[in-house]
């Protein structure tokens, strides 16, 4: 009997080592990894700078309580604030914890400055903010909340991209609007021009904090260090995790000085900002926070997008939604599973969302050659799926004629 609780439906693939964009299993099979631990292996596998950073730090100091000064934590916080519009960083260990910190910060700030009535958090349909109770309550997906009620009170949901609804649901009671600038788990949904600016305006009108959940879109994923920098709308609070440690567990919540409402005793984390995690973040930022590197991410993203859009012409109703190397290819319930299976058989690891959309989030270090290889596999998958469906359709037609 499997001793691991079955909280994941797992594929029959068991990687035991990796190198760059490739994963290897014990039997010697290799896989081209175009999902990268779901936007987490930002530097691919066994990146020398990340391996060296972790090895060297492990020999010096792995953990040290936040009761003491942690110089490398201060250094990494400074790196993050210098690279963004924020002044203060709270470190934790995961995406959902960064969201918890953001919700607590927003409520504390509102409580201190306006009183307890101002505590509502507005979030959006199809969002994903993590699995702990704060994050889960913010995640406006009934299927994920089912059976776990009651949820955290004071969280309301509006349809994603519906600015009018967001306007109706926000007011003086709103402490924060929490939104993914591009939805990841919801299917890689890129909001239309004006939506995020509209939320910015609502927050300004109501004295609420705008929180961008950049757990998936951050750390170079969209071709900018954080997606907001490409969009040009600055939130008040930002959450980061996934790619931040290149696979090492670490999360962060960033905010501006004037909103940094959490003081001693208000919040904390035993492991948050430990030296080992900080060494990983420093190594990742050393590679990713570089204009040339980010430009190359945008280039590879554009190559993928253009080529997938050509393939999309073969599948009626299909659509490519992407920013940088976060790509959703909606193919519908008939084609998507066939393409997914084809990729798996060919050793290309991708991810399927909702049975209809293929998600790609390869390592940011993926090479142009690997991008072409993945596209070849995709082309074959679309070809095979379209042929299988049309031959099935003509069979049915023949039966109908007979
Ligand atoms: C993955 C994700 C989370 C949760 O991160 P965990 O590290 O799994 O807790 C939260 N928000 C967004 C946008 C995510 O993509």
């Amino acid at each position: 009997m499997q001793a691991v609780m079955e909280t994941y439906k797992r594929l029959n693939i068991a990687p035991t080592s990796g190198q760059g964009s490739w994963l290897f299993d014990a039997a010697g099979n290799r896989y081209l990894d175009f999902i990268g631990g779901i936007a987490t292996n930002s530097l691919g596998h066994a990146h020398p700078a990340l391996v060296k950073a972790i090895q060297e730090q492990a020999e010096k100091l792995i953990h040290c309580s936040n009761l003491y000064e942690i110089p490398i934590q201060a250094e990494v916080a400074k790196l993050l604030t210098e690279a963004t519009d924020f002044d203060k960083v709270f470190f934790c260990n995961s995406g959902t914890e960064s969201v918890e910190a953001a919700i607590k910060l927003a409520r504390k700030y509102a409580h201190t400055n306006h009183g307890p009535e101002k505590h509502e958090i507005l979030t959006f349909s199809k969002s994903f903010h993590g699995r702990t109770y704060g994050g889960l309550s913010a995640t406006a997906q009934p299927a994920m909340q089912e059976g776990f009620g009651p949820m955290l009170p004071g969280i309301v949901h509006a349809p994603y991209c519906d600015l009018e609804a967001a306007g109706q649901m926000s007011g003086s009671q709103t402490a924060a609007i929490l939104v993914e600038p591009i939805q990841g788990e919801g299917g890689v949904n890129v909001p239309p021009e004006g939506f995020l600016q509209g939320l910015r305006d609502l927050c300004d009108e109501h004295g609420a904090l705008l929180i961008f959940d950049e757990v998936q879109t951050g750390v170079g994923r969209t071709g900018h260090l954080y997606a907001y920098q490409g969009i040009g709308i600055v939130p008040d609070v930002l959450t980061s995790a996934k790619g931040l440690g290149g696979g090492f567990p670490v999360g962060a919540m960033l905010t501006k000085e004037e909103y940094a409402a959490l003081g001693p005793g208000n919040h904390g984390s035993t492991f948050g900002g430990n030296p080992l995690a900080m060494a990983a973040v420093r190594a990742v930022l050393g590679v990713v926070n570089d204009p040339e590197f980010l430009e190359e991410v945008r280039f590879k993203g554009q190559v993928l997008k253009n080529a997938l859009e050509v393939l999309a012409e073969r599948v009626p109703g299909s659509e490519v939604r992407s920013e940088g190397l976060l790509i959703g290819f909606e193919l519908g319930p008939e084609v998507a599973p066939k393409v997914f299976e084809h990729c798996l058989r060919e050793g290309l690891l991708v991810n399927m969302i909702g049975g209809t959309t293929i998600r790609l989030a390869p390592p940011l270090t993926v090479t142009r050659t690997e991008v072409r290889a993945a596209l070849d596999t995709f082309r074959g998958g679309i070809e095979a799926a379209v042929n299988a469906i049309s031959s099935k359709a003509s069979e049915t037609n023949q039966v109908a004629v007979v």
Side-chain angles (χ1 to χ4, degrees):
M1 194 177 67
Q2 167 71 268
V4 175
M5 195 172 286
E6 276 131 14
T7 54
Y8 284 87
K9 214 174 122 201
R10 294 168 198 271
L11 295 166
N12 188 23
I13 290 174
T16 50
S17 67
Q19 190 61 242
S21 305
W22 296 86
L23 282 169
F24 307 94
D25 67 15
N29 299 305
R30 66 174 205 163
Y31 304 90
L32 182 53
D33 185 5
F34 259 57
I35 189 60
I38 312 186
T40 295
N41 295 101
S42 41
L43 305 188
H45 304 284
H47 190 286
L50 181 58
V51 170
K52 183 161 173 276
I54 291 173
Q55 277 174 346
E56 287 182 359
Q57 187 59 46
E59 285 171 11
K60 279 193 242 167
L61 184 64
I62 292 176
H63 177 78
C64 173
S65 172
N66 282 305
L67 293 171
Y68 310 109
E69 297 286 344
I70 302 177
I72 191 173
Q73 186 184 115
E75 182 191 337
V76 172
K78 193 150 178 283
L79 287 174
L80 281 169
T81 56
E82 282 174 357
T84 61
D85 289 80
F86 307 101
D87 314 302
K88 297 281 181 192
V89 186
F90 172 81
F91 287 110
C92 50
N93 313 289
S94 66
T96 200
E97 283 174 75
S98 68
V99 171
E100 298 294 324
I103 292 174
K104 282 183 71 177
L105 175 102
R107 284 198 167 165
K108 185 79 173 150
Y109 176 79
H111 189 277
T112 306
N113 292 281
H114 304 277
E117 265 68 59
K118 191 175 183 67
H119 65 252
E120 234 173 60
I121 313 285
L122 175 63
T123 73
F124 297 92
S125 60
K126 290 195 186 168
S127 59
F128 185 75
H129 299 294
R131 301 287 194 167
T132 51
Y133 266 103
L136 182 64
S137 303
T139 294
Q141 297 204 43
M144 289 188 192
Q145 297 181 348
E146 173 69 32
F148 296 105
M151 291 292 121
L152 190 65
I155 298 188
V156 295
H157 308 309
Y160 193 59
C161 301
D162 187 340
L163 202 49
E164 205 181 304
Q168 278 161 8
M169 297 185 77
S170 52
S172 60
Q173 78 284 7
T174 308
I177 298 181
L178 166 61
V179 66
E180 293 159 88
I182 296 167
Q183 285 188 333
E185 305 301 309
V188 189
N189 303 315
V190 183
E193 185 87 32
F195 177 62
L196 296 170
Q197 182 61 51
L199 298 183
R200 176 71 272 175
D201 296 343
L202 282 175
C203 285
D204 293 343
E205 185 186 336
H206 300 306
L209 299 186
L210 180 62
I211 306 170
F212 276 5
D213 183 346
E214 291 228 32
V215 168
Q216 190 154 156
T217 54
V219 199
R221 181 53 49 191
T222 66
H224 303 274
L225 187 61
Y226 286 97
Y228 87 86
Q229 294 167 315
I231 298 164
I233 292 162
V234 184
D236 304 310
V237 182
L238 179 141
T239 62
S240 185
K242 287 204 166 91
L244 187 58
F248 195 91
V250 58
M253 185 264 297
L254 287 71
T255 191
K256 298 191 175 191
E257 170 97 58
E258 58 263 48
Y259 309 125
L262 298 175
N266 290 155
H267 198 48
S269 165
T270 295
F271 293 125
N274 68 80
L276 195 55
M278 294 297 97
V281 176
R282 187 170 61 184
V284 169
L285 291 176
V287 175
V288 175
N289 188 26
D290 165 5
E292 270 178 46
F293 182 88
L294 292 170
E295 192 186 324
E296 177 68 11
V297 169
R298 293 197 292 276
F299 177 82
K300 290 177 290 196
Q302 197 60 50
V303 167
L304 271 163
K305 187 183 184 120
N306 292 348
L308 292 177
E309 274 174 347
V310 171
L311 294 181
E313 288 167 15
R314 303 213 44 199
V315 184
S318 67
E319 182 181 42
V320 182
R321 298 183 293 264
S322 78
E323 201 60 57
L325 287 173
L326 180 60
I327 297 160
F329 192 3
E330 181 164 338
L331 287 162
E334 219 180 354
V335 177
K338 288 190 168 65
V339 173
F340 178 74
E341 290 298 329
H342 177 91
C343 289
L344 263 190
R345 275 196 304 275
E346 299 288 315
L348 175 66
L349 301 184
V350 300
N351 164 248
M352 188 163 55
I353 309 176
T356 59
T357 300
I358 305 285
R359 173 170 48 179
L360 309 179
L364 305 177
T365 50
V366 68
T367 66
R368 295 183 185 192
T369 311
E370 288 160 352
V371 166
R372 281 192 290 273
L375 281 169
D376 286 342
T377 304
F378 244 96
R379 207 167 287 120
I382 300 270
E383 192 89 8
V386 169
N387 288 343
I389 288 163
S390 68
S391 71
K392 200 173 120 198
S394 64
E395 260 171 46
T396 334
N397 284 345
Q398 276 165 11
V399 173
V401 170
V402 170

